[in-house]
Amino acid sequence: DAGVIQSPRHEVTEMGQEVTLRCKPISGHNSLFWYRQTMMRGLELLIYFNNNVPIDDSGMPEDRFSAKMPNASFSTLKIQPSEPRDSAVYFCASSLRGPSTDTQYFGPGTRLTVL
Amino acid sequence: QKEVEQNSGPLSVPEGAIASLNCTYSDRGSQSFFWYRQYSGKSPELIMFIYSNGDKEDGRFTAQLNKASQYVSLLIRDSQPSDSATYLCAVNEERTGGFKTIFGAGTRLFVKA
């Protein structure tokens, strides 16, 4: 199994530009999670999907952030416009049934730098 | 008060010793608890999960849960330099319509050879 796949692995962009992060969950997993990790705030859950439906997006910091899951094998996290404070490592994770009891498997992350 | 609290460390132990990592949580309704390990520059990976009060052992790792005290811990026996990493405690809190995973800030562990 390839595990959770994220792209790009590194992204450097200028303030004001649109950024799109991509994730392919493990095949057969029904839940997908987007996290952001910074030194100051640690690992924060942004949003999670169950069966492609957003269940909890209370962690999305503001309207500049949006996430979609058009099918079971693909999700995107978009930041528009990006700001320097969005610089962080963004992780995607998936689990078989959901967060209540299941292990979450993390992708390698996308390191985003906004200049 | 943070929802999930951990001592940030660093916690330094000699090789072969027992490392004890602690975590407290605020939501009394939480039902499932996880310990993840994260090496520098890598993604978190699950070490153990625990749902019931008491101890759960897996090799050199033991997770301990006390729901009355809202406390969960991880013991690493015979610590090895390869155990040096940040250990994240995670708690699933029930929300309307589902659950939300809350991570602690992590404890950095150094095992000295």
Side-chain angles (χ1 to χ4, degrees), chain B residues 6-22 35-40 47 60-61 74-88 105-113:
Chain B
Q6 297 181 253
N7 187 327
S8 63
L11 173 65
S12 184
V13 300
E15 184 175 0
I18 296 176
S20 178
L21 305 166
N22 304 315
W35 283 100
Y36 285 81
R37 177 178 61 199
Q38 186 175 24
Y39 291 112
S40 181
I47 298 176
R60 295 187 296 112
F61 299 94
L74 179 70
L75 301 178
I76 306 174
R77 289 182 300 281
D78 187 24
S79 296
Q80 302 297 309
S82 59
D83 295 326
S84 298
T86 296
Y87 290 79
L88 303 169
T107 298
R108 286 190 300 155
L109 173 66
F110 290 109
V111 180
K112 298 174 293 185

Side-chain angles (χ1 to χ4, degrees), chain B residues 23-65:
Chain B
C23 174
T24 58
Y25 59 94
S26 60
D27 183 4
R28 284 196 167 275
S30 298
Q31 296 295 320
S32 48
F33 308 85
F34 305 81
W35 283 100
Y36 285 81
R37 177 178 61 199
Q38 186 175 24
Y39 291 112
S40 181
K42 302 296 185 182
S43 55
E45 56 180 343
L46 183 77
I47 298 176
M48 292 191 70
F49 59 85
I50 186 168
Y51 308 140
S52 304
N53 275 328
D55 295 359
K56 180 181 179 182
E57 186 174 319
D58 183 1
R60 295 187 296 112
F61 299 94
T62 299
Q64 299 174 317
L65 175 61

Side-chain angles (χ1 to χ4, degrees), chain A residues 63-80:
Chain A
D63 292 344
R64 297 184 298 107
F65 287 69
S66 62
K68 294 182 179 179
M69 191 166 186
N71 57 61
S73 59
F74 183 67
S75 177
T76 59
L77 178 68
K78 184 179 292 187
I79 308 173
Q80 180 185 23

Side-chain angles (χ1 to χ4, degrees), chain A residues 55-99:
Chain A
I55 302 300
D56 186 339
D57 64 354
S58 59
M60 296 286 264
E62 47 196 275
D63 292 344
R64 297 184 298 107
F65 287 69
S66 62
K68 294 182 179 179
M69 191 166 186
N71 57 61
S73 59
F74 183 67
S75 177
T76 59
L77 178 68
K78 184 179 292 187
I79 308 173
Q80 180 185 23
S82 58
E83 297 182 2
R85 60 192 168 123
D86 301 329
S87 298
V89 179
Y90 290 80
F91 289 105
C92 175
S94 70
S95 69
L96 187 58
R97 288 185 295 270

Side-chain angles (χ1 to χ4, degrees), chain A:
Chain A
D1 195 329
V4 176
I5 299 172
Q6 291 186 246
S7 65
R9 294 292 305 277
H10 301 274
E11 177 81 26
V12 180
T13 190
E14 293 187 346
M15 182 175 63
Q17 296 298 307
E18 176 181 303
V19 175
T20 299
L21 311 181
R22 298 172 177 79
C23 175
K24 176 179 170 56
I26 293 172
S27 178
H29 282 194
N30 295 328
S31 293
L32 182 141
F33 309 81
W34 281 102
Y35 289 90
R36 177 173 67 177
Q37 188 173 39
T38 61
M39 288 294 293
M40 290 296 294
R41 301 176 66 89
L43 193 63
E44 302 174 281
L45 177 65
L46 300 178
I47 185 171
Y48 85 88
F49 296 84
N50 195 39
N51 293 322
N52 310 340
V53 177
I55 302 300
D56 186 339
D57 64 354
S58 59
M60 296 286 264
E62 47 196 275
D63 292 344
R64 297 184 298 107
F65 287 69
S66 62
K68 294 182 179 179
M69 191 166 186
N71 57 61
S73 59
F74 183 67
S75 177
T76 59
L77 178 68
K78 184 179 292 187
I79 308 173
Q80 180 185 23
S82 58
E83 297 182 2
R85 60 192 168 123
D86 301 329
S87 298
V89 179
Y90 290 80
F91 289 105
C92 175
S94 70
S95 69
L96 187 58
R97 288 185 295 270
S100 61
T101 57
D102 263 359
T103 300
Q104 295 181 35
Y105 295 86
F106 284 75
T110 295
R111 182 173 295 276
L112 173 65
T113 302
V114 182
L115 303 175

